[in-house]
Amino acid sequence: MKEKLKYERPIITKINAGVTDKFGMRPKMPAIKEIDGVPVDTIIEKYGSPTFVISEKTIRDTLKEAKRAFTTRYPKVKFAWSYKTNYLNAVCKIFHDEGSWAEVVSGFEYDKALANGVPGNQIIFNGPDKSKEDLIKAAENGSYIHIDHFDELYDIISISETTTKRPKVAIRVNMDTGIYPQWDRFGFNYENGEAWNALNRIMMSDKLELTGLHTHIGTYMMTPEPYAVAASKLAELAVRLERKFNHKIKYIDMGGGFASKNTLKGAYLPGKDTFPGFDKYAEAVSNALINSELDPNEMPVLFLETGRALIDDAGYITGSVLANKRLANGRRSMIIDTGVNMLFTSFWYEHEIYPAKDVSSHAEDTTIYGPLCMNIDVIRSAVKFPLLQKGDKYVIKRTGAYNMTQWMQFITLRPKIILIDTQGNTHVIRENETNESLTSHEKVPEHLNKPKK
Ligand SMILES: *Cc1c(COP(=O)(O)O)cnc(C)c1O
């Protein structure tokens, strides 16, 4: 018997490529010949193919834009850089130089922030995995510990018996913001009373200093409304604390999660058209806080842990075409030297890829593969793309978020990462891997070390 065909969700995508412009001409895919004034050819000649590129100017400009949106609407605003989004030291230091604190989610990231010169009292420590040693260190350094669950709360109460400082804590709150599936695995739930219960325990224990309330409602949130709901719920908890304990918290931390301009797979419109802009998010959050019952004379500081939306645009990959070939059905395919091992986000984004030189207006439906000998190594499954030859160069846009932390060493060695500073000078900020650097972590037992017969 023949098997029933599997149901596949239909996807409607707006086709831009191939539609004529207003003069009846076919639009040509634009070329990206340089990044911040540095020619792509120069980058590849000097640093190899492929190379990851980070634009310092874009990082600074994007953060300034986000800050402007929030500080013009709310009196006290602070950004804390989300380390897991991109924890290259050079990148973190640019954010810290602009005044951002550090937001970390592991002991490893915590130590990295300290080593980057961030004072302990400017580190926010999130996440479900903090060891007792981590907690003691964070308490002694005066860092802000955001409690994830009751077991952690009891750990902190127990270490507070011996630490010289009173631990500064906040709780992470999860809640229904109208976005499903709800992120309820982190923190204490608002609707079922767990969050209020945790706050009461902290206040009653007298061992901890309750400094704030935290939430992080999701990632790549395309609409600002859920932030308004979340901010209202946190404000409501803060007001209840004031009424019951006469205790004012210092800050409300709205976490991260703003969308970037990348296009999600299956989206109808390109991400650069659907990104709401920082102003919309800022409007939603500040309205909710300002219109709440919070004491207008002592409004809490608003913290933002924006990751993706601040760094995605600053990252590029420059590389070369390895080959072109026809698939069995005649479809064109192109193999490039960037694989999913280094472009992790290609699993959920339709990354924009451009030629690095002028091309003809002829474009053909193309599948773009990476160099790995693995079926999953697809960078774009279908894109109208001009014909590039072996050795021609390309640029992939918006690769700054999560790739340089989630990439994996697999089949090929990871390339160099360079920074283009605001003067247009290039600097290597992470060396490429070598056989030696990789095998330095390996050990071979004595009995396998004999020379081959
Ligand atoms: C990952 C994370 C962020 C950053 O999220 P983006 O979606 O990249 O903005 C902020 N806060 C916490 C607690 C996180 O886990």
Side-chain angles (χ1 to χ4, degrees):
M1 214 175 72
K2 254 181 98 178
E3 237 184 89
K4 220 174 129 190
L5 285 176
K6 265 232 295 278
Y7 172 77
E8 277 181 31
R9 181 172 75 90
I11 291 172
I12 302 169
T13 315
K14 190 172 178 215
I15 308 282
N16 299 312
V19 179
T20 56
D21 67 15
K22 64 181 176 181
F23 306 110
M25 305 289 279
R26 287 213 297 182
K28 212 162 64 167
M29 185 175 259
I32 298 183
K33 295 181 203 171
E34 49 175 52
I35 300 169
D36 288 2
V38 183
V40 172
D41 285 334
T42 310
I43 293 171
I44 290 181
E45 255 164 54
K46 208 162 159 193
Y47 301 105
S49 182
T51 297
F52 259 104
V53 181
I54 290 179
S55 157
E56 181 173 346
K57 180 177 185 310
T58 306
I59 296 179
R60 291 187 189 271
D61 288 352
T62 311
L63 181 61
K64 283 196 181 103
E65 167 62 13
K67 269 194 189 159
R68 184 204 50 74
F70 279 89
T71 53
T72 50
R73 291 175 169 86
Y74 191 81
K76 300 175 233 171
V77 180
K78 267 267 162 217
F79 279 80
W81 175 238
S82 158
Y83 263 47
K84 76 167 187 293
T85 311
N86 189 320
Y87 47 57
L88 284 166
N89 291 336
V91 169
C92 296
K93 285 188 178 215
I94 295 170
F95 281 103
H96 299 322
D97 186 50
E98 291 283 341
S100 293
W101 289 18
E103 185 275 322
V104 302
V105 292
S106 68
F108 153 70
E109 288 188 0
Y110 185 89
D111 290 342
K112 216 170 196 293
L114 283 182
N116 278 334
V118 183
N121 65 3
Q122 294 186 12
I123 302 178
I124 292 172
F125 199 169
N126 283 315
D129 172 22
K130 307 180 194 85
S131 68
K132 276 204 170 177
E133 293 69 42
D134 292 337
L135 291 172
I136 292 168
K137 199 190 306 183
E140 294 292 356
N141 287 331
S143 305
Y144 295 86
I145 304 169
H146 288 186
I147 307 171
D148 186 72
H149 44 261
F150 282 110
D151 285 327
E152 184 174 281
L153 172 58
Y154 304 142
D155 271 353
I156 297 178
I157 292 176
S158 111
I159 64 142
S160 71
E161 308 282 351
T162 51
T163 50
T164 59
K165 291 207 185 112
R166 219 164 147 227
K168 291 193 275 189
V169 300
I171 61 162
R172 176 158 174 179
V173 182
N174 71 64
M175 62 191 83
D176 185 353
T177 58
I179 293 288
Y180 309 101
Q182 215 175 305
W183 271 27
D184 58 2
R185 58 171 284 192
F186 302 112
F188 302 89
N189 186 253
Y190 172 86
E191 284 80 17
N192 71 8
E194 238 192 13
W196 182 237
N197 182 243
L199 292 172
N200 278 291
R201 279 168 187 273
I202 292 169
M203 292 309 299
M204 300 286 188
S205 93
D206 206 31
K207 302 263 169 47
L208 313 175
E209 184 189 340
L210 179 66
T211 53
L213 292 166
H214 172 233
T215 190
H216 172 61
I217 57 176
T219 194
Y220 204 96
M221 308 287 285
M222 289 166 71
T223 56
E225 290 78 18
Y227 285 95
V229 176
S232 304
K233 289 184 174 175
L234 291 189
E236 193 264 347
L237 287 175
V239 170
R240 274 164 86 181
L241 284 167
E242 276 186 38
R243 297 213 174 120
K244 180 163 175 182
F245 298 100
N246 195 23
H247 179 78
K248 283 203 166 85
I249 54 158
K250 294 208 173 75
Y251 63 87
I252 283 183
D253 181 344
M254 292 301 298
F258 302 155
S260 81
K261 293 177 194 144
N262 255 311
T263 306
L264 284 183
K265 282 197 169 163
Y268 175 63
L269 290 167
K272 53 180 182 283
D273 297 339
T274 54
F275 172 65
F278 291 116
D279 286 301
K280 294 266 170 53
Y281 294 114
E283 188 71 12
V285 172
S286 60
N287 274 341
L289 295 182
I290 285 168
N291 299 338
S292 73
E293 299 291 304
L294 285 166
D295 179 357
N297 298 314
E298 274 181 272
M299 292 295 275
V301 175
L302 167 61
F303 264 94
L304 295 153
E305 304 170 344
T306 313
R308 188 190 302 278
L310 290 181
I311 188 75
D312 231 1
D313 277 7
Y316 300 82
I317 295 174
T318 56
S320 322
V321 174
L322 299 177
N324 287 290
K325 66 200 231 184
R326 294 273 161 199
L327 301 177
N329 62 4
R331 183 185 176 79
R332 186 178 157 227
S333 76
M334 183 171 90
I335 308 171
I336 61 174
D337 56 2
T338 295
V340 293
N341 53 340
M342 52 182 275
L343 191 61
F344 204 82
T345 50
S346 56
F347 288 124
W348 56 84
Y349 286 155
E350 305 276 23
H351 275 288
E352 282 174 39
I353 170 166
Y354 296 93
K357 63 170 193 188
D358 288 324
V359 285
S360 80
S361 58
H362 178 73
E364 190 179 336
D365 205 14
T366 305
T367 301
I368 302 180
Y369 293 115
L372 307 181
C373 198
M374 276 287 279
N375 213 22
I376 56 161
D377 194 21
V378 182
I379 299 298
R380 290 296 300 270
S381 52
V383 55
K384 276 252 189 295
F385 205 77
L387 181 68
L388 293 189
Q389 305 291 347
K390 176 180 165 65
D392 284 349
K393 300 180 182 72
Y394 62 84
V395 175
I396 304 178
K397 275 180 83 168
R398 299 195 184 94
T399 64
Y402 294 102
N403 285 306
M404 285 155 254
T405 47
Q406 284 190 292
W407 59 352
M408 53 191 160
Q409 194 279 311
F410 180 57
I411 300 186
T412 59
L413 297 168
R414 285 177 284 194
K416 282 188 172 59
I417 303 178
I418 66 160
L419 179 81
I420 304 179
D421 69 21
T422 52
Q423 311 301 315
N425 304 310
T426 53
H427 312 262
V428 175
I429 57 170
R430 192 179 193 272
E431 274 299 345
N432 55 294
E433 286 170 338
T434 61
N435 254 345
E436 291 71 42
S437 67
L438 266 185
T439 46
S440 70
H441 282 265
E442 290 190 37
K443 287 193 162 74
V444 180
E446 195 64 40
H447 71 284
L448 300 175
N449 250 338
K450 296 189 194 107
K452 181 137 177 26
K453 285 192 202 105

